[in-house]
Amino acid sequence: MKQLVLIALASLMLQAAEVPRNSCSRPPAGSAVPEPEDLRSSNGVLKADLTIHNSIEADGSVRYCYMDGNGNLSPNLRLKPGDLLILHLNNDLIDLDPKAHAHMHAGKSPAAKNNNDPCVSGAMTATSTNLHFHGLTIPPVCHQDDVLKTSVSPHDAPFEYRFRIPSDEPPGLYWYHPHIHGFSKVQVLGGASGALIVEGIERANKEVAGLPERVLVVRDQDLVNPNAPPSKSEPVVPKMLLDRDGDAANNGTGFGKPAKDLSINFVPVPYPDYPPAAIEMKPGERQLWRGLNASAITYLNLEVLFDRKAQPLGLVALDGVPLSENRSLGDLVSWQTHLGVPPGARVEFIVKGPPLGVAGLLVTRTVDTGPGGENDPNRALATIAASENAPEPRSLLAASPQPLAPSSAAWLGDVAPLRTRKLYFSEKLTDPNNPNSATEFYITVDGKTPALFDPQSGVPDIVVKQGTVEDWIIENRSNELHAFHIHQLHFLLVDYLGKPVNEPFLRDTVNVPYYKDQMMVYPSVRLRMDFRDPNTAGTFVYHCHLLEHEDGGMMGLIRVEPADGAKAP
């Protein structure tokens, strides 16, 4: 009997050895869009385990993914304001390129040498990782939202993230992803990302009460068919050019080879034919769609078409913040026919299902990224089919919610800024005499000399006081589009291209238009930056959210000093 048990155990071990080390699986093209698994808080606490894996597939593509303790891929983390998140991150990364080296600024600072504490390691290598909780107003400290020193290595014990969602955090869509300087792009491009939802948007805007909701995460990845000619259904376009990163350069036509393929909830929509994923809805049914652009470099411009005609989309939240956060506007729904979503940004909108027999399609329209940018052409993402038997989404918003109490803080647009600063994006070839040499990317405080971000420096580019409000003018002195993002806070767009705008809602990511040679001034945006929340105290970063630009040096450091008499986090 004992011998039989040993044989059975040996057989099981052999089977286990044959199972891949991880399973960053992807549905086949054309599949129904799956819903990510929901991990919900219970009694005010959400405890979860996440493991990050990576692998090289048979076709040579590189994949990264998060899996929870039950094997679910990139689950939605759902919490209420005031809830506690306890998340254990396990690093299962392997070095997929033995020739890869640490980032040029990587390694450990003198204070961190010979210290294996992930809180001070600062290691930035191909196999190190951490987590950034994009959009949340939580302190930039270890075990919460520090990305400057926190670095988890494969040999480390599971690393605990533990923080409480602020009781006044706006309800909406946020997300989590790795933020290791020099390696953010490869990990996010490979698929390492997931949604985090702060529940209660129906309490902020009764227009969405009772609606079914879908979480749609659009990711980009390297082209599956990089050598394929464009589809025969496309018009003839100028000869395809490559940028210095080897991606298809913007050709200004809206067609041609894209820089990257896209997927929707991991269902790939590959070039050149873009076979769409599939979404089923009941005829005419209203749903709340929560859309996240988790791409590393790709801009989105979302439209829903019925028989090729653009349909109204009712925007209710942007970058996690309901439009009704400005209480003077009531239950605001902004009806649009298309929604621009830069990398890292989120849009939450009401959509209506097509009538029976009418073809529906979710698409992304071309985005002009400038002569120095990548090609983001027109392409389909998913068909939308009407069916009386369509299954309801798993999540349903409360039909009779208790309204949120109005914020006690003054609306950001009504607060006078303490000062105005100017920053600018710029780029430079490493060898000015070689147009094919690598590009250095900068974001610089006006008056200072452009310099690549140095994570070991610790010297802030900007110092502000918690409790204040400032205006920042962000200029773009390059010929490609950039997306400005700052950690720990949201801002208000005040001016665009030098002209006042009346946007009564907040963002954490915004496009800065590119410079054209005939322009007399550099294009810019003016942002009202909100440092009033005590959770913004600390040291954190701002950067371009095109991750190859961030990894290439386009990032700056800000220190928010505690208000007089307050303690640092």
Side-chain angles (χ1 to χ4, degrees), residues 178-298:
H179 209 292
I180 291 289
H181 184 54
F183 298 93
S184 295
K185 174 190 169 183
V186 66
Q187 294 188 18
V188 172
L189 189 67
S193 57
L196 187 153
I197 295 114
V198 176
E199 304 278 26
I201 191 170
E202 70 278 16
R203 299 182 60 201
N205 190 326
K206 65 184 180 184
E207 293 296 320
V208 300
L211 294 186
E213 58 171 326
R214 293 180 185 270
V215 176
L216 301 174
V217 183
V218 178
R219 300 172 173 90
D220 60 3
Q221 64 183 55
D222 287 328
L223 296 177
V224 175
N225 306 306
N227 299 318
S231 171
K232 293 181 180 179
S233 63
E234 287 196 357
V236 177
V237 299
K239 186 177 180 180
M240 186 269 297
L241 298 176
L242 296 178
D243 65 12
R244 284 181 291 273
D245 298 300
D247 297 321
N250 180 32
N251 59 37
T253 68
F255 298 95
K257 182 184 292 187
K260 302 295 178 187
D261 276 336
L262 293 176
S263 68
I264 179 167
N265 289 4
F266 287 120
V267 179
V269 187
Y271 166 83
D273 296 318
Y274 308 123
I279 295 174
E280 241 187 353
M281 298 176 69
K282 287 184 168 60
E285 180 184 35
R286 283 162 44 104
Q287 295 183 355
L288 175 69
W289 287 8
R290 301 182 188 258
L292 159 62
N293 185 358
S295 299
I297 67 169
T298 304

Side-chain angles (χ1 to χ4, degrees), residues 56-61:
I56 297 181
E57 301 304 304
D59 61 4
S61 62

Side-chain angles (χ1 to χ4, degrees), residues 318 411 492-493 501-507:
L318 187 67
W411 171 245
L492 181 71
L493 178 62
V501 297
N502 182 25
E503 275 199 358
F505 42 84
L506 304 179
R507 303 170 180 261

Side-chain angles (χ1 to χ4, degrees), residues 45-57:
V45 179
L46 173 57
K47 293 183 178 180
D49 297 323
L50 279 185
T51 299
I52 185 171
H53 302 286
N54 64 342
S55 63
I56 297 181
E57 301 304 304

Side-chain angles (χ1 to χ4, degrees), residues 269-518:
V269 187
Y271 166 83
D273 296 318
Y274 308 123
I279 295 174
E280 241 187 353
M281 298 176 69
K282 287 184 168 60
E285 180 184 35
R286 283 162 44 104
Q287 295 183 355
L288 175 69
W289 287 8
R290 301 182 188 258
L292 159 62
N293 185 358
S295 299
I297 67 169
T298 304
Y299 293 87
L300 300 177
N301 185 11
L302 299 177
E303 275 189 355
V304 169
L305 305 173
F306 292 172
D307 282 343
R308 301 186 179 184
K309 182 180 179 181
Q311 299 299 300
L313 305 175
L315 184 69
V316 296
L318 187 67
D319 290 351
V321 182
L323 307 191
S324 55
E325 182 78 359
N326 183 350
R327 287 298 178 180
S328 66
L329 301 173
D331 296 311
L332 177 64
V333 179
S334 178
W335 291 95
Q336 313 282 337
T337 56
H338 65 95
L339 299 171
V341 197
R346 289 86 67 211
V347 286
E348 298 170 74
F349 56 96
I350 299 169
V351 65
K352 189 176 180 181
L356 280 173
V358 173
L361 196 63
L362 172 65
V363 304
T364 178
R365 291 298 193 190
T366 184
V367 177
D368 180 8
T369 61
E374 285 84 13
N375 200 35
D376 292 340
N378 300 296
R379 45 189 149 167
L381 292 174
T383 57
I384 307 171
S387 169
E388 296 286 3
N389 300 318
E392 290 285 1
R394 276 202 308 263
S395 186
L396 184 70
L397 299 173
S400 302
Q402 182 69 29
L404 279 179
S407 173
S408 59
W411 171 245
L412 182 58
D414 297 332
V415 180
L418 179 67
R419 64 175 59 86
T420 298
R421 303 178 192 267
K422 181 185 287 186
L423 297 81
Y424 62 91
F425 290 118
S426 63
E427 303 176 10
K428 187 183 74 172
L429 293 174
T430 52
D431 181 358
N433 298 317
N434 180 5
N436 295 318
S437 63
T439 303
E440 294 180 345
F441 299 94
Y442 308 100
I443 182 169
T444 309
V445 177
D446 196 34
K448 296 186 177 181
T449 302
L452 297 175
F453 177 72
D454 182 358
Q456 293 190 40
S457 166
V459 177
D461 302 283
I462 295 174
V463 178
V464 304
K465 182 77 74 172
Q466 184 266 315
T468 61
V469 169
E470 297 189 354
D471 273 9
W472 287 13
I473 298 171
I474 316 292
E475 285 185 347
N476 189 348
R477 301 183 183 181
S478 77
N479 64 356
E480 69 174 308
L481 192 62
H482 293 293
F484 175 82
H485 169 62
I486 187 168
H487 291 203
Q488 324 313 137
L489 60 99
H490 284 75
F491 50 76
L492 181 71
L493 178 62
V494 178
D495 291 350
Y496 187 83
L497 292 175
K499 297 181 180 180
V501 297
N502 182 25
E503 275 199 358
F505 42 84
L506 304 179
R507 303 170 180 261
D508 62 38
T509 307
V510 66
N511 287 340
V512 186
Y514 64 87
Y515 174 72
K516 301 177 183 178
D517 291 339
Q518 65 271 29

